[in-house]
Amino acid sequence: MSTLVVENLRVEIQAGARLLKPVDDVSFVIGANECVALLGESGCGKSMTALALMRLLPDGGRVASGSVRLDDEDVFALTEAAMGEVRGGRLAMIFQEPQSSLNPVMTVSDQINEALVAHRGLTGAAAASEEAVRLLEAVGLGREKLDAYPFQLSGGQRQRALIAMMLAGEPEVLIADEPTTALDVTVQAQILKLLKALQVQRGMGLLLITHDLDVASDMADRVAVMYAGQIVEWASRAALYTAPKHPYTQKLFAVLPRLDRRGERLDSLPGRVPGPDSAFTGCRFADRCPAVFERCRVETPSFHEATPGHWSRCHLAEPCSRDVGSTDAAQRNPGTLESIPRMPPATASGLTKCVLEVRDLAVHFPIRKGLLKRTVGHVKAVDGVSLQVAAGETLALVGESGCGKTTLARAILRLIEPTAGQVSLLGEPLANLRGEALRRKRSEMQIVFQDPFSSLNPRMKVGEILAEGMAAQSFLSVAARPARINDLLNQVGLPEDAVGRYPHEFSGGQRQRIAIARALAVEPKLLILDEPTSALDVSVQAQILNLLADLQKMHGLAYLFITHNLSVVSYLAHRVAVMRGGKIVESGMAETLLTRPQNAYTQLLLDSAPGKKALLPAE
Amino acid sequence: MLIKPVLLWSDALILLLLASVGLLVWLARNNDTFRAPWRQVMRSRMGSSTALILSVYIGIGLLDSLHYVERLPTPAGQPASQPAQYSGEVLSALDALLKPLRENVEKTYSAPFATHLYAKETVLGPNGRETRDYPRLQHGGAHLADPERDFWADVSERAGLGLLGGWVVWLLWRSWFGCRNGCQNSGARFGLPGGACSATGPPRRNFTLLVILLTIGALLALAPHYHVLGTDKVGQDVLYLSLKSIRTGLLIGSLTTLIMLPFALTLGIAAGYFGGRIDDAIQYLYTTLNSIPGVLLIAAAVLVVQVQIETHAELFETAAARSDVRLLALCAILGVTGWTGLARLLRAEALKLRELEFVQAARAFGVTDARILLRHLLPNVMHLVLITVVIDFSGLVLAEAVLSYVGVGVDPGMISFGNMINGARLELAREPVVWWQLAAAFVFMFVLVLAANLFADQVRDALDPKSKERA
Amino acid sequence: MLNYLLRRVLYAIPILLGVNLLTFALFFMVNTPDDMARIHLGAKHVTAEAIERWKSEHGYDKPLFFNTAAAGAEKVSDTLFVEKSLKLFVFDFGASDDGRDIAREIGQRMWPSLAIALPTFIVGLLAYVSFALLLVFFRGTALDTGGVILCVALMSISGLFYVIGGQYLMGKLWHWFPISGYQPGLDAWKFMVMPVLVSLIGGIGDSSRFYRALFLEEIGKDYVRTARAKGLSDLRVLFRHVLGNAMIPILTGVVVVIPRLFMGSLIIESFFGIPGLGSYTIDAIQAQDFAIVRSMVFLGSLLYIIGLMLTDISYTWADPRVRLE
């Protein structure tokens, strides 16, 4: 099979008057039958690199310089017609969003056949459909999915169908751009396993673009770490995961929340990835680097081979320079019950003070059908859930999409009316509260949402956002509120001049801080955190998790932490409840549940988490 | 007092509109999220030049909205203490400025720059014999001793002077506000943001301004002495008619929106936010209104209004007041029947917004519905409203012409583009063709609507997040 | 599907009732039959007796909703509302104010209307979509920019000018077609070409720009990137993928007007002297014949509702996700 060689690739995008350089001098190689992971946080230029390889850059984007060679073929020198042969033929690509990446009005077989016609010249209906079935079976879908439309498939099935389409041209290199980011953890494990198996069977090169260190570790033979449009480290997986050379890579490992870091503060990485329109002198990572020294600010580090096969773009990793000192950041703790650090006890008052008690809560949505729209059945989004959260305690509610965890959160807050069951806050049942009494009670429970972009009104200043809850709850006198707002901003680590600014001036992590401050403004006892870090990069996630831990300690808050991310759960939860199909299937102390799950589904979740290597075929 | 100001209903509404726009601008003056898109519009070449053209139209329309009546001279022999008598003819500031145009009425058609009438008449020759010939115009080119000899020299002299005047004003403007040193423009001088001079912005605006100034200069020099655009069937100057039509067009375009907005905003947002029965009721309402063919619904309502005006003729003091009420009624009808489109858009947007997390967060605080609607929903749909308003504007100006043709537009006695076209379209059958009235209406309307459309595009690009992504 | 249609028919009844009430209120309550009579009689002949006579001749001499003079069920049925408004539901349009049977007129006049409107609709749709596809295929080039500018310029011209200009050029100056008029049968095409052409040109700016925006929106979507990543040619992506998906929003705007094609276009028919429903309506408006206007309002609403149903049905064909339930 063939190798893909990328040399000195630069991509420029003209966005209005600004010239963006999302990819700036990127070189790497994908050998035959090799999986290379392109690793980095959002905004590093990973996807742009991939699109440039496919010559699918968005309007306004162009390759400024560099070359891509597939064996001896110079991809950038091809005519557009010849590129059509290569695209989907020798070089194929799958995308992140299985929801939107398939044409919604064409059947799966139509969409596969198109590729077969284009690249294999299969025109006969019988031959084509025979081949389509073979492809579907290769990705683990049955023949009956041939005539299905994308909307009739689940997310994982759609991603499989997309893979089948891209395999139709028998590609030599497959590019997978965050192929599992939008999927649930169990489905992610299946898709990754499928990709690895296909790569091995077909001897393809696989370029896996991901932000997840564990996914890269499971899949890749070699890893390229990208930062601000450049590759900062390039090494075999083994070398990178045992002895990362670049401070950025080291930091990426250090900020991961994990079971063996329970109770510790997470290492954090200040600042954010510089934008693609920044101008640089010296090292691009200098502003955030813990090991920065004066040379970094003036001299751009070269990309050099630190140890054989291990390249790095850091002055410290140059031969005959100071030793970086190998960190044990990447050393993984297998995590047995005995070795897990104990969480500090919830609060001094102990676990006795129950803040939230939910008993047999159910939320059913009616299904209406027929001439008169009669109710013929119910969707049981939440079906008899009971749980308790004490002051100072974190209860993690774990489950995959559609299990009802968000509906449960909204029902607890009475944003939707529960069908049955009872929610008590500080011993007082909410069900009987109406109007003013319910409004008063709302100050005791607040929520922080997942998406830091849609959770803040873009038309309100930060000061107004923070004051809104206080005004609604008549909390403090109007005169006392500005001082309280300043205090809140301090608590969440934002400057005081944020008051007069609008949300769009802040980064995702800062916005999430604003959202937390907003929730805290009315001094709640219970904070429901609905996937508060899943839209954030890992380095920012660490900052927010640290902040949440501090705030819990300071105010004795009870957290109901809703998430699908098991490593976050293992890092911060006191207790865990696993939810599936509207019911809680298992709950218990975090240490026990995560190491000795009783329920088969819990076991499956734990096994599916990337970084286990358990699901992959023996190499 | 020789004149008495008259405030027609439409004038009052224009003042109200100006005041509310002014208030909005004042409220949003420090609000960056509101200001940024407008700055983007004004910085683009297309945006600033179309805005300039529109503001010229608006200026003319506003001048035409300052109405007054003249005091009739006290009849001789009457004591001066008698209450003053006022003329029944309502005039405007524009009329005063265009006095020569308004009063230089010929007998019937005459072509642009003509010195003779379009139709032959029996004239008394110098020798006392009656002949059928084209008589000299009473005003157009009347100052020329021998039109055939002097015409071109006179016209080019006057036009040249006018153009020169326009150019000089332009130079003055440029030296005062212009971007001479490349770092100063009007914005910087007034301390406005956006004062930083962009490489592409001002020159085009200068160019548009130059064209406008040259046009105005030439017209100022020529119009008092010639009928630059000819005269119509009853001898009125077509340029005067065209300028007077502007107010009607602008009024229809803006007042309709003013009337439509409250319906669209309240009903659309309420339907989306509250859902359930309220949504059902509002949807029923707009499906019902939508189901009636638009022109028919408007026609039906206008007919009814017309009958009402006819049966209550005693309520109106002047013809102007009467046609004014009819115009307002037309705007009201267009507004009441035209809110459904925007309401649907707002309903869909409110449906989306209500599920957004910042609205949920507000509800979790127990913020009241009224406050959520006001603080969270309304500001976040304003861009849609603005886009719709500017896009609808040009459509309404065009609609006036069609409705007036159908007979359900403005009062037939009112000067408007529709009535101008209507009066002229049959004259194409004449030989030689009477084309100038149509041409004038065409040009004046085309420039207005084209500028409005292009401006609307710029506003949409600046305000619509979706189109920004595409760019 | 059948259930769905049945429900839509049931839903149509309150809408039509609402339309009826609205027109009834406009024409009988805001404007009383007395006003109508006064207008038709003209200022000279208005006497109380003349008004009464006119009203009884045209059947307007009944109470609005409740007839105290009548007995039994007639108390309700022998009223203006039932006679003039509810009878529309059984297509009993009654007579126009000049005494002709409205239903017969409609039956005769819809065919010329259709003869103009149907070709305009079909050719127009094809032409506008093709033009928009052309612009989109060359997006970002001078052709696209020029096309968009042309569209904006064309849509900035009042429709009246297209008609006037068309008649002047094609009719008077070049003598291609008769300026106006209509005759049924084989010679009809002579009279059809110009109105159709004029409507086509008049609509191109607005529609093509709208379709172009739709296509551009689709082109930005992820599945288009997938299709291109499969190595499909730009043309195939445009026709198979983009057009297929854009059909859904296109249908929303297009199908709903199909039933209304029967009613013709007011402007076109009146300018070109086509004896269709459009000119019938416009004549009625100008003659203030409220009986005809009322009938046309009802007919228009009915056709609109049918159009809405057709739109929904067409979705099931264009979009596999839609199942009428």
Side-chain angles (χ1 to χ4, degrees):
Chain A
M1 290 303 272
S2 19
T3 50
L4 182 80
V5 182
V6 180
E7 273 180 342
N8 307 107
L9 179 68
R10 287 176 209 270
V11 175
E12 290 177 353
I13 297 177
Q14 193 71 46
R18 296 183 311 156
L19 183 68
L20 311 179
K21 294 178 175 169
V23 181
D24 199 3
D25 195 11
V26 160
S27 311
F28 59 92
V29 180
I30 305 170
N33 195 13
E34 185 188 34
C35 174
V36 170
L38 201 53
L39 186 74
E41 295 181 280
S42 56
C44 280
K46 308 180 302 264
S47 294
M48 278 302 157
T49 308
L51 291 172
L53 301 187
M54 295 291 288
R55 287 179 47 183
L56 284 176
L57 284 173
D59 288 344
R62 64 185 192 96
V63 173
S65 65
S67 71
V68 173
R69 272 176 292 118
L70 189 60
D71 281 346
D72 293 328
E73 193 112 65
D74 184 348
V75 172
F76 291 159
L78 295 172
T79 62
E80 189 50 42
M83 189 61 210
E85 300 280 308
V86 172
R87 223 186 264 137
R90 302 183 64 190
L91 198 57
M93 180 163 178
I94 59 174
F95 303 95
Q96 174 171 353
E97 289 292 338
Q99 298 288 353
S100 55
S101 290
L102 295 179
N103 187 332
V105 303
M106 281 169 78
T107 61
V108 169
S109 72
D110 280 347
Q111 296 188 56
I112 294 178
N113 285 345
E114 268 187 339
L116 287 172
V117 172
H119 297 290
R120 305 263 292 278
L122 290 176
T123 41
S129 90
E130 206 44 52
E131 181 60 21
V133 170
R134 217 179 52 75
L135 284 167
L136 279 184
E137 281 166 358
V139 297
L141 289 177
R143 175 185 287 269
E144 73 281 359
K145 298 289 187 245
L146 212 52
D147 293 322
Y149 285 97
F151 78 97
Q152 291 162 325
L153 304 178
S154 69
Q157 288 173 331
R158 278 181 222 182
Q159 203 61 307
R160 285 172 195 268
L162 183 60
I163 295 171
M165 271 164 227
M166 291 305 168
L167 291 179
E170 302 191 322
E172 292 154 35
V173 176
L174 179 65
I175 302 171
D177 186 0
E178 303 267 11
T180 56
T181 307
L183 302 175
D184 278 324
V185 61
T186 50
V187 184
Q188 158 165 301
Q190 295 163 13
I191 296 289
L192 290 177
K193 189 175 168 184
L194 170 70
L195 280 173
K196 190 73 193 170
L198 289 168
Q199 182 226 324
V200 172
Q201 275 167 26
R202 299 183 169 230
M204 284 188 301
L206 177 63
L207 176 64
L208 179 74
I209 293 170
T210 182
H211 66 282
D212 190 325
L213 286 159
D214 291 328
V215 168
S217 137
D218 280 351
M219 300 284 291
D221 301 305
R222 279 194 284 178
V223 181
V225 181
M226 249 186 124
Y227 184 80
Q230 294 185 320
I231 290 179
V232 293
E233 187 158 4
W234 166 242
S236 69
R237 182 192 63 216
L240 190 97
Y241 280 77
T242 47
K245 296 260 188 252
H246 197 282
Y248 176 60
T249 320
Q250 293 166 357
K251 273 291 183 189
L252 282 183
F253 285 111
V255 298
L256 280 187
R258 290 194 326 229
L259 196 54
D260 56 325
R261 292 192 175 134
R262 286 165 70 83
E264 297 169 23
R265 275 185 79 76
L266 286 172
D267 205 345
S268 68
L269 186 58
R272 59 208 267 203
V273 182
D277 56 346
S278 332
F280 302 98
T281 50
C283 176
R284 298 188 174 197
F285 188 58
D287 286 340
R288 306 174 72 192
C289 185
V292 65
F293 60 111
E294 58 283 11
R295 195 175 150 209
C296 304
R297 307 254 182 221
V298 288
E299 188 187 330
T300 309
S302 63
F303 195 49
H304 54 267
E305 200 163 10
T307 56
H310 196 146
W311 295 63
S312 170
R313 198 185 285 274
C314 177
H315 292 308
L316 290 175
E318 284 164 14
C320 29
S321 97
R322 295 192 276 150
D323 189 22
V324 177
S326 92
T327 57
D328 62 348
Q331 298 300 322
R332 312 219 103 213
N333 191 322
T336 58
L337 184 54
E338 290 68 36
S339 69
I340 298 170
R342 290 279 146 199
M343 287 289 267
T347 41
S349 59
L351 292 174
T352 47
K353 192 182 166 200
C354 182
V355 174
L356 173 73
E357 184 177 13
V358 175
R359 209 179 302 146
D360 302 322
L361 191 72
V363 181
H364 296 178
F365 298 113
I367 307 168
R368 294 178 201 277
K369 271 196 175 151
L371 191 59
L372 299 168
K373 293 266 168 199
R374 273 189 311 262
T375 306
V376 294
H378 287 92
V379 178
K380 298 180 176 174
V382 176
D383 195 15
V385 165
S386 303
L387 50 83
Q388 289 162 2
V389 193
E393 186 196 35
T394 303
L395 171 68
L397 189 65
V398 184
E400 297 186 288
S401 55
C403 74
K405 49 193 201 300
T406 296
T407 310
L408 174 63
R410 295 192 177 193
I412 291 173
L413 288 168
R414 280 279 294 271
L415 294 177
I416 42 183
E417 286 298 320
T419 314
Q422 199 174 54
V423 178
S424 309
L425 200 63
L426 295 168
E428 186 182 357
L430 296 183
N432 309 326
L433 296 183
R434 290 275 173 276
E436 189 57 23
L438 177 64
R439 218 161 61 81
R440 288 272 147 266
K441 198 74 182 162
R442 286 188 183 281
S443 72
E444 288 166 10
M445 50 179 184
Q446 278 301 310
I447 181 164
V448 175
F449 294 99
Q450 167 177 1
D451 183 356
F453 289 88
S454 65
S455 67
L456 302 178
N457 185 344
R459 306 283 184 197
M460 278 164 85
K461 290 179 192 167
V462 170
E464 294 168 336
I465 291 172
L466 296 184
E468 184 179 36
M470 292 190 253
Q473 290 291 334
S474 313
F475 187 84
L476 294 179
S477 66
V478 178
R481 284 178 199 158
R484 167 85 180 141
I485 289 172
N486 281 343
D487 180 40
L488 286 167
L489 288 171
N490 280 330
Q491 281 187 35
V492 298
L494 286 173
E496 287 183 1
D497 69 352
V499 171
R501 286 151 71 190
Y502 286 91
H504 70 86
E505 300 171 54
F506 296 90
S507 67
Q510 288 173 316
R511 285 162 153 258
Q512 206 59 303
R513 289 170 190 270
I514 297 170
I516 292 170
R518 170 177 61 188
L520 290 179
V522 292
E523 296 191 339
K525 301 292 178 288
L526 168 75
L527 210 51
I528 297 180
L529 302 155
D530 190 357
E531 306 260 14
T533 61
S534 49
L536 306 175
D537 280 321
V538 282
S539 63
V540 182
Q541 165 172 290
Q543 297 167 12
I544 297 292
L545 291 180
N546 282 338
L547 173 67
L548 288 172
D550 294 344
L551 291 170
Q552 185 168 48
K553 225 173 284 171
M554 205 186 323
H555 301 292
L557 290 167
Y559 284 166
L560 178 61
F561 197 107
I562 298 171
T563 185
H564 68 277
N565 187 330
L566 285 168
S567 56
V568 171
V569 171
S570 60
Y571 166 71
L572 59 67
H574 294 96
R575 289 189 300 121
V576 181
V578 180
M579 197 167 171
R580 188 190 194 188
K583 290 190 164 79
I584 287 182
V585 294
E586 184 173 4
S587 65
M589 296 305 286
E591 296 86 350
T592 334
L593 189 136
L594 294 173
T595 48
R596 292 174 193 162
Q598 302 299 311
N599 184 284
Y601 178 68
T602 316
Q603 181 72 50
L604 178 68
L605 276 184
L606 290 171
D607 287 345
S608 302
K612 297 267 178 196
K613 301 232 117 204
L615 287 171
L616 299 178
E619 284 165 54
Chain B
M1 281 284 281
L2 284 173
I3 58 167
K4 183 173 81 173
V6 174
L7 193 69
L8 296 178
W9 279 105
S10 56
D11 301 338
L13 283 173
I14 288 175
L15 286 181
L16 180 72
L17 185 67
L18 276 183
S20 43
V21 169
L23 185 74
L24 265 181
V25 170
W26 187 76
L27 282 178
R29 72 197 182 286
N30 288 324
N31 186 331
D32 213 44
T33 49
F34 278 113
R35 235 171 30 173
W38 291 106
R39 211 182 295 153
Q40 187 190 331
V41 170
M42 295 312 290
R43 270 201 198 152
S44 73
R45 296 197 315 185
M46 193 66 93
S48 59
S49 28
T50 49
L52 188 64
I53 294 172
L54 287 179
S55 54
V56 170
Y57 273 91
I58 292 171
I60 295 172
L62 286 180
L63 275 180
D64 204 7
S65 299
L66 303 171
H67 285 111
Y68 65 91
V69 284
E70 276 178 346
R71 182 171 171 170
L72 294 174
T74 320
Q78 295 252 338
S81 61
Q82 277 244 319
Q85 293 289 311
Y86 288 96
S87 151
E89 190 186 14
V90 179
L91 297 173
S92 73
L94 187 74
D95 290 319
L97 288 177
L98 300 178
K99 192 165 176 154
L101 288 187
R102 181 166 59 90
E103 291 181 346
N104 292 354
V105 176
E106 309 291 345
K107 266 192 180 153
T108 179
Y109 291 115
S110 70
F113 286 106
T115 52
H116 291 82
L117 212 57
Y118 169 85
K120 278 189 180 175
E121 266 181 21
T122 311
V123 284
L124 211 57
N127 48 7
R129 276 180 48 203
E130 288 192 347
T131 48
R132 295 282 293 173
D133 198 4
Y134 300 108
R136 280 290 295 270
L137 292 181
Q138 285 162 351
H139 306 280
H143 58 289
L144 300 176
D146 180 357
E148 278 176 34
R149 190 192 60 207
D150 302 335
F151 178 76
W152 286 111
D154 187 66
V155 166
S156 46
E157 185 191 322
R158 287 177 194 278
L161 271 176
L163 292 175
L164 189 71
W167 190 59
V168 168
V169 174
W170 180 69
L171 284 181
L172 285 175
W173 183 87
R174 233 166 69 113
S175 64
W176 187 248
F177 296 117
C179 211
R180 269 188 311 176
N181 303 324
C183 57
Q184 249 195 337
N185 67 3
S186 56
R189 190 170 289 265
F190 291 123
L192 292 171
C197 186
S198 72
T200 50
R204 170 59 76 94
R205 193 191 306 199
N206 281 348
F207 180 69
T208 313
L209 186 75
L210 176 65
V211 172
I212 291 173
L213 286 175
L214 289 180
T215 315
I216 292 177
L219 286 179
L220 277 179
L222 289 167
H225 307 283
Y226 296 96
H227 297 292
V228 176
L229 298 176
T231 54
D232 74 349
K233 190 170 190 173
V234 292
Q236 274 183 301
D237 190 282
V238 172
L239 177 63
Y240 173 73
L241 293 178
S242 306
L243 290 172
K244 290 286 283 181
S245 297
I246 289 174
R247 176 177 185 267
T248 317
L250 291 179
L251 270 183
I252 300 239
S254 54
L255 289 187
T256 301
T257 313
L258 189 73
I259 292 164
M260 168 269 270
L261 273 187
F263 289 96
L265 275 173
T266 49
L267 294 176
I269 296 180
Y273 181 74
F274 292 110
R277 292 262 157 77
I278 296 178
D279 189 21
D280 289 344
I282 294 171
Q283 281 204 63
Y284 166 76
L285 195 62
Y286 72 54
T287 314
T288 305
L289 272 179
N290 257 354
S291 77
I292 303 174
V295 183
L296 277 178
L297 184 57
I298 294 163
V302 170
L303 287 183
V304 168
V305 170
Q306 212 171 311
V307 172
Q308 293 301 314
I309 290 179
E310 276 169 33
T311 43
H312 300 95
E314 71 283 357
L315 289 178
F316 308 103
E317 280 179 19
T318 57
R322 190 186 137 124
S323 52
D324 188 64
V325 166
R326 167 131 182 206
L327 176 70
L328 282 187
L330 180 64
C331 290
I333 291 158
L334 286 172
V336 172
T337 54
W339 57 270
T340 53
L342 179 59
R344 255 160 106 152
L345 211 63
L346 292 179
R347 173 180 172 273
E349 192 67 15
L351 216 56
K352 243 186 288 170
L353 283 173
R354 125 184 129 163
E355 295 304 323
L356 278 193
E357 295 173 341
F358 64 80
V359 176
Q360 296 293 326
R363 288 183 56 207
F365 281 123
V367 177
T368 56
D369 283 336
R371 227 181 137 69
I372 289 179
L373 289 174
L374 208 64
R375 293 299 300 271
H376 293 285
L377 266 73
L378 191 61
N380 282 295
V381 299
M382 272 327 268
H383 66 283
L384 288 178
V385 175
L386 279 170
I387 293 168
T388 311
V389 167
V390 286
I391 288 179
D392 279 0
F393 173 83
S394 52
L396 287 166
V397 174
L398 293 178
E400 185 270 325
V402 171
L403 291 176
S404 294
Y405 167 74
V406 178
V408 292
V410 296
D411 193 274
M414 189 159 192
I415 303 174
S416 81
F417 290 125
N419 284 337
M420 268 175 83
I421 298 170
N422 223 351
R425 64 182 186 91
L426 290 176
E427 309 302 337
L428 278 183
R430 284 180 182 243
E431 216 47 72
V433 177
V434 178
W435 51 269
W436 46 88
Q437 206 173 340
L438 276 177
F442 175 82
V443 170
F444 272 79
M445 254 179 113
F446 180 66
V447 172
L448 173 63
V449 177
L450 185 64
N453 274 332
L454 293 173
F455 186 72
D457 276 3
Q458 296 295 319
V459 172
R460 194 187 46 203
D461 285 352
L463 287 173
D464 189 357
K466 238 170 39 189
S467 70
K468 216 178 284 174
E469 279 161 24
R470 218 181 295 139
Chain C
M1 182 80 162
L2 207 66
N3 255 346
Y4 169 83
L5 286 182
L6 208 58
R7 208 171 60 242
R8 284 308 290 257
V9 170
L10 287 181
Y11 185 58
I13 291 172
I15 290 181
L16 287 176
L17 211 57
V19 169
N20 263 3
L21 270 174
L22 188 73
T23 41
F24 186 76
L26 274 178
F27 287 129
F28 289 95
M29 294 161 80
V30 181
N31 254 1
T32 56
D34 289 22
D35 291 331
M36 262 188 280
R38 237 175 251 129
I39 292 201
H40 278 273
L41 293 171
K44 280 180 234 160
H45 310 288
V46 175
T47 55
E49 298 89 68
I51 289 176
E52 283 310 317
R53 188 153 14 92
W54 189 89
K55 275 164 65 181
S56 68
E57 273 168 19
H58 293 86
Y60 290 124
D61 55 348
K62 289 173 186 165
L64 291 175
F65 291 106
F66 193 74
N67 194 345
T68 42
E74 293 207 338
K75 270 190 196 298
V76 182
S77 69
D78 194 24
T79 56
L80 281 179
F81 184 65
V82 172
E83 284 290 314
K84 297 286 175 189
S85 219
L86 284 186
K87 277 199 174 167
L88 295 174
F89 274 95
V90 291
F91 301 100
D92 182 354
F93 295 119
S96 64
D97 287 345
D98 60 8
R100 293 200 222 171
D101 183 28
I102 298 176
R104 245 192 72 206
E105 292 271 329
I106 291 176
Q108 279 172 356
R109 283 169 167 267
M110 62 190 237
W111 301 112
S113 283
L114 209 56
I116 306 291
L118 199 62
T120 307
F121 173 79
I122 294 169
V123 180
L125 188 61
L126 291 176
Y128 303 156
V129 168
S130 318
F131 187 54
L133 280 172
L134 184 79
L135 294 184
V136 166
F137 187 73
F138 289 100
R139 67 185 175 282
T141 66
L143 183 73
D144 181 30
T145 319
V148 173
I149 291 175
L150 182 72
C151 283
V152 178
L154 286 177
M155 63 190 266
S156 302
I157 297 172
S158 168
L160 297 178
F161 286 115
Y162 288 108
V163 182
I164 295 169
Q167 277 185 328
Y168 181 71
L169 291 177
M170 288 189 266
K172 192 177 169 196
L173 215 56
W174 300 332
H175 298 290
W176 288 356
F177 309 107
I179 288 182
S180 71
Y182 186 78
Q183 74 186 62
L186 284 178
D187 280 341
W189 70 270
K190 269 192 252 167
F191 298 94
M192 280 161 55
V193 177
M194 192 154 69
V196 171
L197 266 178
V198 164
S199 333
L200 284 182
I201 297 168
I204 196 164
D206 227 345
S207 310
S208 297
R209 213 167 78 112
F210 175 66
Y211 292 142
R212 175 181 170 275
L214 283 185
F215 293 143
L216 279 184
E217 191 170 332
E218 288 298 325
I219 277 184
K221 292 195 175 161
D222 286 349
Y223 70 85
V224 173
R225 193 179 56 187
T226 308
R228 293 178 63 206
K230 280 194 278 191
L232 304 182
S233 69
D234 278 359
L235 269 181
R236 183 167 173 91
V237 172
L238 201 57
F239 277 93
R240 188 80 168 89
H241 291 265
V242 174
L243 189 58
N245 279 279
M247 276 321 282
I248 300 161
I250 290 178
L251 286 174
T252 318
V254 159
V255 176
V256 71
V257 305
I258 292 178
R260 279 234 185 122
L261 295 178
F262 284 105
M263 295 187 63
S265 150
L266 298 190
I267 302 296
I268 293 289
E269 287 189 10
S270 106
F271 263 99
F272 288 102
I274 311 288
L277 282 181
S279 51
Y280 186 55
T281 312
I282 212 167
D283 292 344
I285 292 172
Q286 277 158 359
Q288 307 202 346
D289 192 328
F290 293 160
I292 299 177
V293 173
R294 246 181 9 247
S295 309
M296 297 310 285
V297 166
F298 180 80
L299 193 63
S301 309
L302 184 68
L303 293 175
Y304 177 80
I305 292 164
I306 295 174
L308 285 183
M309 280 159 73
L310 288 180
T311 307
D312 286 344
I313 294 169
S314 69
Y315 280 154
T316 59
W317 163 70
D319 188 346
R321 287 164 291 188
V322 176
R323 291 271 177 277
L324 298 185
E325 226 320 294

